[in-house]
Amino acid sequence: MLKLLSLLRDGRFHSGEDLGAALGISRSAVWKQLQNLESELNLTIFKVRGKGYKLSEPLHLLSAQTIVSDASHAPWPVFIHDEIDSTNAEGLRMAARGQSTPFVVLAERQNAGRGRRGRQWVSPFAENLYYSAVLRIEGGMRQLEGLSLVVGLTVMRVLHVLGVKQAGLKWPNDVLVADRKIAGILLELVGDPADVCHVVLGIGVNVNMQATDQVDQPWTSMRCETGATVDRNHLVALLSGELERELKKHQAHGFAVFQAEWERAHLWQGRTVSLIAGTSRIDGVVKGVDAHGGLRLDLNGIEKSFSGGELSLRLRDDS
Ligand code: BTN
């Protein structure tokens, strides 16, 4: 089926006869595969009598070669899958098998994409970015403090460079445009966080997605915001380069050097929020983040910091 897709990816018409000859199958087998492409990969294929078949628009697939030639210097090695359960899960498996770090896992689609707090990350074929960078961290807890916030800040900056000027942050690491999510980040760890561990920086960016009924929260995409199709290979090259630079800075100086910029980018600065941890809830006003990446809340005149992967933030209705 993917062979057929690669013949069609130029977005031009191809006759059933030519496609069948190229694949060594009958015209009716071509027809069947076309139907599978539509139903399984959610692609729109135009079928015009006398002309043949074409995709509604050209398809630009991920390519390790293009990513490498686009990068300003030798980028982190990339491993690309047509389909995988989760790029984070695959990154963890590869680290366990001894793959040398750093490296990046990408997929055209995920069938079990993981979001924060056990949620699913909707991952349609070839539309968005599903990116996991795997790093080895040796410096203990200090190297992990504020790391996910630095990743969020870096993703936001890359979106700004590519024209999504309104992108901002929501603690701890959502990237939003107004109140619509455009990117999400999920860090996963294996090993001893106090000593040597592997960390997977899982990044999902809504890139060219224009419609879906599967996402259960307000969302947008780069294409929805800019009106233009985004080259995902270029996005990967840019993102890896920026992450490499910013993570070096984070390793050397900790989160404190990012604190002021992070607060300027925080869309909910000064807002009244509820901080949710399981069934408990704390209401307060957002003051910013501390030097370790914890959320600073004003609770009736007393400032307190909060941190932890399972926390989530909601705007209070009356804020
Ligand atoms: C969130 O809930 O906001 C975090 C979403 C993280 C999704 C990305 S997509 C690439 C990587 N692989 C996964 O399974 N999840 C992350």
Side-chain angles (χ1 to χ4, degrees):
M1 193 167 76
L2 291 173
K3 259 192 172 164
L4 173 60
L5 188 61
S6 79
L7 294 172
L8 288 171
R9 70 172 190 219
D10 57 8
R12 294 161 184 240
F13 275 109
H14 297 263
S15 73
E17 204 170 340
D18 287 352
L19 293 171
L23 296 172
I25 57 176
S26 67
R27 281 171 62 178
S28 65
V30 168
W31 175 254
K32 235 190 199 146
Q33 285 200 18
L34 285 166
Q35 283 180 317
N36 288 344
L37 278 179
E38 283 190 308
S39 60
E40 282 187 31
L41 302 184
N42 205 25
L43 296 167
T44 307
I45 298 169
F46 296 137
K47 307 171 182 88
V48 178
R49 196 180 286 273
K51 281 185 153 181
Y53 310 105
K54 85 188 261 308
L55 290 174
S56 56
E57 55 186 35
L59 191 64
H60 302 286
L61 295 175
L62 294 166
S63 147
Q65 210 183 344
T66 312
I67 293 167
V68 171
S69 60
D70 191 316
S72 51
H73 65 288
W76 292 336
V78 292
F79 298 88
I80 299 175
H81 299 266
D82 291 327
E83 177 168 4
I84 196 105
D85 50 354
S86 144
T87 54
N88 269 24
E90 176 63 7
L92 290 170
R93 288 191 291 263
M94 289 174 75
R97 289 201 298 268
Q99 174 66 45
S100 69
T101 54
F103 65 91
V104 172
V105 183
L106 303 172
E108 292 293 5
R109 74 164 162 172
Q110 303 183 111
N111 54 43
R114 301 173 178 169
R116 286 184 68 227
R117 293 177 292 118
R119 295 173 73 154
Q120 182 211 4
W121 187 256
V122 173
S123 310
F125 183 80
E127 293 190 31
N128 296 329
L129 184 66
Y130 319 116
Y131 175 110
S132 296
V134 184
L135 313 171
R136 189 180 138 96
I137 305 262
E138 292 186 9
M141 291 305 266
R142 211 185 88 81
Q143 299 292 325
L144 297 168
E145 272 177 7
L147 180 59
S148 77
L149 280 76
V150 173
V151 176
L153 190 61
T154 308
V155 171
M156 182 200 76
R157 281 201 206 144
V158 167
L159 295 188
H160 287 178
V161 169
L162 295 176
V164 188
K165 303 283 184 209
Q166 304 306 320
L169 300 170
K170 175 192 152 193
W171 188 89
N173 51 23
D174 282 348
V175 186
L176 308 179
V177 175
D179 57 355
R180 294 184 300 277
K181 189 148 164 172
I182 193 164
I185 289 151
L186 176 68
L187 261 58
E188 297 189 66
L189 272 176
V190 276
D192 180 358
D195 185 17
V196 178
C197 65
H198 282 103
V199 60
V200 183
L201 314 178
I203 301 172
V205 184
N206 296 334
V207 183
N208 292 317
M209 184 161 77
Q210 287 181 288
T212 176
D213 51 10
Q214 289 182 42
V215 179
D216 60 359
Q217 56 183 324
W219 65 273
T220 187
S221 70
M222 297 176 75
R223 183 166 174 181
C224 289
E225 293 303 317
T226 63
T229 310
V230 176
D231 175 346
R232 292 176 304 144
N233 290 310
H234 180 54
L235 172 59
V236 171
L238 210 59
L239 184 59
S240 287
E242 286 298 306
L243 278 174
E244 193 173 358
R245 214 181 50 192
E246 296 309 307
L247 295 181
K248 262 192 199 135
K249 198 162 127 194
H250 177 251
Q251 254 170 34
H253 308 290
F255 179 72
V257 294
F258 295 92
Q259 189 179 351
E261 186 190 353
W262 200 96
E263 288 184 344
R264 281 196 299 278
H266 196 204
L267 296 168
W268 288 11
Q269 206 65 359
R271 304 292 298 268
T272 304
V273 295
S274 297
L275 184 69
I276 321 270
T279 51
S280 58
R281 181 184 126 174
I282 298 165
D283 291 344
V285 175
V286 177
K287 303 300 285 180
V289 284
D290 65 22
H292 312 286
L295 179 73
R296 296 189 293 119
L297 283 187
D298 180 341
L299 310 174
N300 295 322
I302 298 168
E303 189 175 303
K304 272 197 166 178
S305 280
F306 298 87
S307 55
E310 292 307 306
L311 299 175
S312 76
L313 210 53
R314 285 200 206 132
L315 278 182
R316 272 264 308 267
D317 298 340
D318 55 353
S319 76

